[in-house]
Amino acid sequence: MRVTITCEECGERHRLERRVTEPGPIWIICHNCELPLQAVLDGPTAEAALAPPKPSAWTGVVDFSNAV
């Protein structure tokens, strides 16, 4: 899951490079003005977000599982 935090003081955008596995607060330090920044991740965990996608309309139409 990608997380981008924007500093409200200077407008600097920071992309979080670590894995987030559960909802809750995330703290980083702004690289530009050195203020602490907090983002709160709500909702499902990262594992739930990575769950297999729902089958599409093409599921089963072309099946290469028995191809030689």
Side-chain angles (χ1 to χ4, degrees):
M1 172 178 301
R2 294 178 193 228
V3 177
T4 301
I5 301 172
T6 303
C7 179
E8 294 180 1
E9 186 69 28
C10 68
E12 179 89 14
R13 294 179 57 143
H14 305 278
R15 183 178 307 158
L16 191 66
E17 298 294 334
R18 68 177 186 229
R19 177 177 283 240
V20 179
T21 57
E22 42 186 78
I26 300 166
W27 287 94
I28 66 167
I29 301 296
C30 178
H31 300 298
N32 192 31
C33 62
E34 298 185 359
L35 291 175
L37 304 175
Q38 179 188 30
V40 179
L41 178 63
D42 293 330
T45 62
E47 285 96 25
L50 296 175
K54 295 179 182 176
S56 73
W58 291 99
T59 301
V61 174
V62 179
D63 183 13
F64 292 108
S65 63
N66 294 329
V68 178

